[in-house]
Amino acid sequence: MKRVLICYFSGTGNTKKVVNRASECLQQEGCDVTLYNIDDDNFDHDLNSFDMLGVAYPVHAFNAPSNVIKFIKSLNKLKKDEKTKKRVKKPLFIIKTSGEPLALNNISSVKIKSILKKKGFILNNEYHYCMPYNIIFRHTDNMAYKMWNTADKVIPIDCREIVEGKKSKLKYFPFGRFLAWIFRVEHWGGRVNGKRYKVNDKCINCQACVKRCPTHNITIENGEFKFGKNCLMCMRCSFHCPKNAIKIGWFEKWKVNGAYNFNNPNETEEEKHKKYCKKSYNKYFARNQKKIEEFEKIS
Ligand SMILES: Cc1cc2nc3c(=O)[nH]c(=O)nc-3n(C[C@H](O)[C@H](O)[C@H](O)COP(=O)(O)O)c2cc1C
């Protein structure tokens, strides 16, 4: 039985949904799966005791969120083999979710991949699932349903590949490492913008934002909400605010509030961004549909 550890971060729940499905599928393939939520900040697993490592995150500005990179850096190297004195190598798989299917999102893992390589983990599989935006604009529930329906059917295929050791990698964009480095300005920008968050008078003081913030960046001082300098821009506070009472600084116009309904497509809902990345979405759905049909034929 293969022992698999998946370390994940999910700002608003999309990546968690995908990871839970992957965990279910890996278990169906006979693996013993341990999930570690990077939010928990109490990592005490021995990486040497697992056969495989998985890392999952939402794409933030064509990168992995800063807390994911920090966590990856904090991991120990795999031990050296006693006989050969060489570092033991273990397979790595990466799962990313993002709102649009642009190939540029593929570069988000370059940093993680290279840090983990030095620790003994070799990237064998990498998968990207489109899930609805939690910033920029609100996808329709129809689109959310279509995205999840696709991921739900493709994840079992991808998990089988992982277990069978069949490699599957995403193509990196030319100059990907350099581009990703430039886009990492978002990590710094997020912290600056995070200080500009405000709570308006729709707030019912449920303090869900305070309790949920992964960096404990929201506090209450003298009855007022204070936003510190450790914002990840993960959107958890504003996305899940039951009264849509949090203003997200310079990005207020891009705010998305409220969970998607992944289960019931609403055929009458108006699609406001029909043309946005239309070709990319069509290609993404067609490619995955083909993969699902081919898999169904052989199984
Ligand atoms: C700050 C920020 C930056 C984002 N940047 C991108 C991006 O570059 N490309 C993309 O396709 N989606 C981007 N997204 C959308 C998320 O990757 C997407 O909605 C993801 O599924 C959210 O996952 P989560 O619910 O696990 O946090 C961004 C979201 C946030 C909050």
Side-chain angles (χ1 to χ4, degrees), residues 9-16 58-63 97-101 105 131-136 186 232-235:
F9 171 69
S10 180
T12 53
N14 287 346
T15 310
K16 189 171 182 183
V59 176
H60 282 186
F62 309 112
N63 272 287
T97 73
S98 83
E100 83 259 334
N105 287 308
M131 290 293 275
Y133 273 142
N134 56 1
I135 192 170
I136 304 181
E186 185 263 344
L232 294 173
M233 285 276 292
C234 73
M235 298 299 132

Side-chain angles (χ1 to χ4, degrees), residues 2 4 6 17-33 35 93 95 129 148 150-164 295:
K2 282 189 177 146
V4 183
I6 308 180
K17 197 168 170 69
V18 165
V19 164
N20 284 340
R21 179 73 176 123
S23 164
E24 198 180 275
C25 296
L26 287 169
Q27 287 177 56
Q28 280 162 8
E29 295 292 331
C31 298
D32 176 11
V33 183
L35 297 183
F93 64 91
I95 291 174
Y129 306 104
W148 173 241
T150 302
D152 188 44
K153 289 191 179 131
V154 174
I155 293 169
I157 307 173
D158 297 342
C159 286
R160 182 159 299 173
E161 280 183 354
I162 293 172
V163 175
E164 288 177 349
F295 183 74

Side-chain angles (χ1 to χ4, degrees), residues 234-250:
C234 73
M235 298 299 132
R236 193 180 295 169
C237 58
S238 58
F239 185 85
H240 289 298
C241 174
K243 294 291 170 189
N244 193 8
I246 300 179
K247 291 191 148 198
I248 60 165
W250 293 310

